[in-house]
Amino acid sequence: MDISLFDFHLPEELIAQSPALVRDQSRLLVVNRKDHTYEDKVFSDIYDYLKAGDVLVRNNTKVLPARLYGIKEGTGAKCEILLLHQVESENDVWECLTKPAKSIKDGAVINFGDGKLVGTCVKSMDEGIRHIRFTYEGIFLEVLEEIGEMPLPPYIKKQVVGNDRYQTVYAKEVGSSAAPTAGFHFTEDLLKRLQEKGVIIVDITLHIGLGTFRPVKVTNVDEHVMHTEEYEISQEAADIINSARSEHRRVVAVGTTCVRTLEANYAKYGIIKPTRESTNIFIKPGFKYQVVDALITNFHLPKSTLIMLVCAYIGREWTLELYQHAIDEKYRFFSFGDAMFIY
C-alpha cells in the first residue's frame, strides 16, 4: 500500500493548540458502521450511545512531565532533554532524547531547575539518544512535577497551563511520553453517570513512547516497522473483557492505544490473557479486528499509523469521507481536538 492513500489536506487552523475549556463539551462525530451514517454531536452525548453491559476499556497510563530544560556545567550552554524510559532504577539512569545532542557527550553534567536535578551523561548513542544518571534530593517524580514540562506533540506550539490538562482524569500508572488523548474528553461526572447506567469500566495500561509521533518514512507502508510499547492487562480486566465477548456484549476501546493492546494480546493468545509484556503491532487495512466492537478516537495526522488503524476498522474511503466532513464542519484535530465514536 502506498502512503499517499492515507493523505489528506488539513488546514493548519484546525490543529487544536489547546484543550477544550470543558472536557466533555468537545465535539463528537458519531459514526454508525451498520447503517453507514454519521451525525454531529457533543462528547457528553456519548452517554446516549453506551448501554448497560458495555465494557468501556481505557488506558490509565500517566504522562511524565518529561521535558527538561537545563544548563551545561562549564560552558553555560542551554540544553533540552526528553526522558524516554528508565534503564537503571537503582542508579536513576534514564534513556533520553537530547538537544543539541552534539554538545552532550559522555561525562557532560547538566543542571536543571537551579540544581534541583543534576544529570550526568554516562553513555552516548545515535540519533541524539543518551543515557543520563540523575541526582537529586527527595522523590524523583516530585522533582519532575515541579520543574518538568509535558512532552507535547511537535504540532502544539505552546505549553499548556497546568500539566493536568495533558492527562486524562483517570491517569494513574506513570510511564508515558505521550497521553492517550481520546480519553481527554471524559470527566469524572460523565464516567460516574456511565457506571450508574450499567457501563462497566475497565483499566488497562499501555505506556506510550515517542514513536507515536514519528512519521512513516517509507513509501510502501507494508515496510514500516512500528515502535515497541509496554502494556499490562490485569487478571480482573481480562476476566471482564472475556466475559463480555462470550456474552456478546460490546467492548468499547477508548483510543488507539487500547485497540493496539487488546488486539495484540488476542492475536497472540486467542483470548484476552493477563500479562505484562510489549507489542509493536501494526494495524492497517487488511487487519481483522477480533475484540473491539466500538471505538472512541480523535482525528489523526495524515499518513500516520493511527489513521491507518481507523481505516482498517471502517475502510479507507469512508474514513477519508468522514475526515473531509470534519474539515468542512471545522472540527478540531489531533491531540487536543475533537473525537469520533465509531460503533
Side-chain angles (χ1 to χ4, degrees):
M1 288 181 291
D2 194 281
I3 188 66
S4 63
L5 293 172
F6 305 95
D7 197 13
F8 62 94
H9 173 68
L10 179 69
E12 188 174 350
E13 63 267 21
L14 297 185
I15 301 174
Q17 294 297 312
S18 58
L21 292 176
V22 180
R23 288 178 184 264
D24 66 359
Q25 292 306 297
S26 54
R27 298 172 73 184
L28 179 69
L29 183 61
V30 178
V31 180
N32 185 318
R33 290 190 294 163
K34 181 180 178 181
D35 296 341
H36 204 78
T37 59
Y38 54 88
E39 52 189 335
D40 301 303
K41 295 288 184 176
V42 175
F43 191 83
S44 57
D45 293 331
I46 202 165
Y47 178 89
D48 300 326
Y49 294 90
L50 297 177
K51 55 191 177 184
D54 284 349
V55 175
L56 186 71
V57 184
R58 62 189 191 182
N59 183 1
N60 68 355
T61 189
K62 188 171 185 178
V63 186
L64 283 165
R67 178 167 278 122
L68 295 164
Y69 297 94
I71 302 295
K72 184 180 175 184
E73 284 190 1
T75 66
K78 294 181 179 180
C79 304
E80 176 185 339
I81 71 167
L82 191 60
L83 304 177
L84 300 179
H85 64 90
Q86 194 172 35
V87 292
E88 291 183 32
S89 57
E90 292 183 1
N91 297 315
D92 284 306
V93 177
W94 285 71
E95 184 172 283
C96 304
L97 183 63
T98 60
K99 183 181 178 180
K102 62 182 180 181
S103 69
I104 303 176
K105 298 181 173 61
D106 290 359
V109 177
I110 308 167
N111 283 289
F112 304 96
D114 296 323
K116 292 178 181 177
L117 187 65
V118 178
T120 302
C121 179
V122 295
K123 185 178 180 181
S124 300
M125 289 169 287
D126 295 336
E127 297 184 345
I129 303 295
R130 303 287 187 268
H131 284 185
I132 295 179
R133 177 182 293 115
F134 291 99
T135 56
Y136 51 91
E137 291 186 5
I139 299 172
F140 184 68
L141 290 179
E142 291 182 356
V143 176
L144 276 187
E145 286 289 348
E146 181 180 354
I147 67 174
E149 291 185 356
M150 284 299 179
L152 300 180
Y155 48 77
I156 295 176
K157 305 303 181 185
K158 59 182 180 179
Q159 189 66 26
V160 292
V161 178
N163 285 344
D164 63 318
R165 290 314 309 268
Y166 194 63
Q167 303 277 19
T168 62
V169 297
Y170 47 82
K172 180 181 178 181
E173 302 295 334
V174 177
S176 272
S177 298
T181 56
F184 283 172
H185 311 283
F186 285 98
T187 64
E188 292 177 352
D189 178 67
L190 177 56
L191 290 166
K192 180 181 178 181
R193 290 197 298 120
L194 287 170
Q195 285 182 305
E196 290 171 348
K197 188 177 186 178
V199 175
I200 302 163
I201 298 175
V202 171
D203 284 345
I204 60 176
T205 305
L206 181 137
H207 292 314
I208 305 167
L210 273 188
T212 193
F213 297 140
R214 288 177 178 161
V216 178
K217 296 182 178 179
V218 294
T219 301
N220 182 358
V221 299
D222 296 325
E223 298 174 359
H224 177 68
V225 178
M226 287 288 288
H227 53 286
T228 298
E229 296 167 320
E230 295 181 357
Y231 76 86
E232 183 172 5
I233 300 175
S234 68
Q235 181 69 61
E236 180 184 12
D239 289 345
I240 292 172
I241 297 167
N242 285 325
S243 177
R245 294 188 70 255
S246 66
E247 295 169 8
H248 305 290
R249 291 184 283 113
R250 292 192 303 181
V251 176
V252 182
V254 181
T256 59
T257 60
C258 287
V259 172
R260 296 182 69 241
T261 301
L262 295 174
E263 297 294 342
N265 184 271
Y266 187 89
K268 184 174 181 178
Y269 299 110
I271 194 172
I272 298 300
K273 179 180 177 181
T275 184
R276 183 177 183 179
E277 57 189 34
S278 60
T279 181
N280 67 342
I281 189 171
F282 184 8
I283 298 178
K284 58 184 184 295
F287 180 87
K288 184 179 180 181
Y289 280 76
Q290 301 285 346
V291 182
V292 175
D293 301 301
L295 168 63
I296 299 166
T297 186
N298 284 11
F299 293 92
H300 305 296
L301 279 73
K303 301 181 182 179
S304 66
T305 59
L306 302 180
I307 194 173
M308 294 176 200
L309 181 149
V310 178
C311 289
Y313 197 51
I314 60 174
R316 186 185 68 87
E317 291 184 359
W318 199 25
T319 299
L320 294 178
E321 177 186 328
L322 293 168
Y323 270 54
Q324 188 58 53
H325 171 78
I327 292 168
D328 293 341
E329 294 298 318
K330 300 191 183 308
Y331 276 67
R332 287 155 42 95
F333 275 64
F334 306 164
S335 292
F336 284 144
D338 298 314
M340 303 172 71
F341 175 54
I342 308 170
Y343 71 102

